């Protein structure tokens, strides 16, 4: 068993290294593709997006629960051709987790509540493939930057205990994978610039340092608006 544990850690390190290298090469390829192409103003679109998150912190413990958050920001989309495009988001995102449970204490029952609130600047860069005019798929890496966080705990009728994350206790940078589906052209000409997207994010780096495996994971349901030809003269 003592031999299997370091082997498992080694495999985990190799897997994470492979994933990071894969996406680094993917980004380099996409950058070279754009640099070598003739970028036209009508191919570069901007817009806004926002919506709700359902997030948790995935650990080996069963205590984690879903927490509702929000995300809000802007986007830039570059059309490679009629079927493919690249989209980059820059947005403020509220993540975390919460849970409650009942414990027995000296023939009495107490309710324990715990909530973790995390705030990030998310920067996903996704490759989009338009299956039809109405539907598309997207996948790519997300580079997220930690802003602040806090834990809130309460046992029974006691006063809530709130503790902010101290510098050094958290990872200031988060790397993960985002994938999802999106829709464009909702069927009426007055709504052609509005889109809906459903994304899922899984972190590949820990939120809290020195605490085993603990990564963000969650779903995003957003609505956005594309500004057509913003650079057109």
């Amino acid at each position: 068993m003592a031999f299997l544990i370091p082997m498992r850690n080694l495999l985990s390190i190799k897997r994470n290294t492979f994933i990071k290298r894969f996406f680094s090469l993917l980004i380099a390829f996409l950058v070279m593709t754009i640099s070598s192409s003739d970028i036209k103003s009508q191919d570069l679109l901007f817009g806004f997006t926002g919506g709700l998150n359902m997030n948790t912190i995935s650990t080996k413990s069963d205590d984690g629960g879903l927490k509702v958050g929000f995300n809000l920001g802007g986007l830039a989309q570059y059309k490679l051709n009629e079927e493919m495009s690249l989209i980059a988001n820059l947005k403020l995102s509220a993540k975390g987790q919460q849970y409650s449970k009942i414990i027995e204490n000296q023939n009495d029952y107490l309710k324990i509540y715990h909530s973790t609130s995390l705030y990030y600047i998310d920067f996903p860069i996704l490759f989009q493939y338009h299956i039809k005019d109405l539907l598309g798929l997207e996948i790519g890496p997300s580079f997220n930057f930690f802003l602040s966080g806090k834990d809130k705990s309460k046992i029974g009728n006691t006063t809530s205990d709130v503790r902010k994350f101290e510098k050094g206790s958290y990872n200031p940078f988060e790397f993960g994978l985002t994938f999802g589906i999106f829709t464009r052209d909702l069927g009426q000409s007055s709504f052609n610039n509005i889109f809906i997207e459903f994304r899922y994010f899984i972190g590949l780096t820990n939120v809290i340092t020195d605490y085993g495996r603990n990564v963000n994971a969650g779903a995003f349901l957003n609505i956005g608006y594309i500004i057509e030809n913003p650079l057109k003269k």
Side-chain angles (χ1 to χ4, degrees), residues 117-156:
S117 300
L118 306 172
Y119 299 94
Y120 286 86
I121 292 294
D122 288 355
F123 184 51
I125 303 175
L126 308 181
F127 170 80
Q128 295 182 320
Y129 180 75
H130 302 256
I131 301 175
K132 296 181 179 179
D133 292 337
L134 184 64
L135 187 65
L137 303 176
E138 55 188 6
I139 186 172
S142 185
F143 309 90
N144 308 329
F145 303 90
F146 185 89
L147 296 178
S148 65
K150 63 181 180 181
D151 282 325
K152 181 179 180 180
S153 300
K154 185 176 181 180
I155 300 178

Side-chain angles (χ1 to χ4, degrees), residues 182-230:
F182 63 93
T183 179
R184 290 288 308 278
D185 189 356
L186 298 182
Q188 301 181 30
S189 60
S190 59
F191 291 98
N192 283 354
N193 292 351
I194 294 178
F195 67 93
I196 297 174
E197 63 183 1
F198 176 81
R199 292 178 177 176
Y200 185 80
F201 170 80
I202 179 67
L204 300 176
T205 55
N206 285 343
V207 176
I208 303 171
T209 58
D210 302 326
Y211 187 71
R213 180 182 182 274
N214 60 102
V215 297
N216 278 312
F220 299 77
L221 180 61
N222 296 339
I223 186 169
Y225 181 80
I226 293 288
I227 304 173
E228 294 284 355
N229 302 332

Side-chain angles (χ1 to χ4, degrees), residues 5-34:
I5 293 176
M7 279 296 295
R8 188 180 304 161
N9 293 339
L10 180 61
L11 290 175
S12 177
I13 292 173
K14 288 184 176 181
R15 180 187 61 188
N16 292 338
T17 301
F18 171 79
I19 293 173
K20 291 179 181 180
R21 287 180 178 177
F22 172 79
F23 283 113
S24 297
L25 291 175
L26 175 62
I27 293 171
F29 171 76
L30 295 176
V31 169
M32 288 188 293
T33 300
I34 295 176

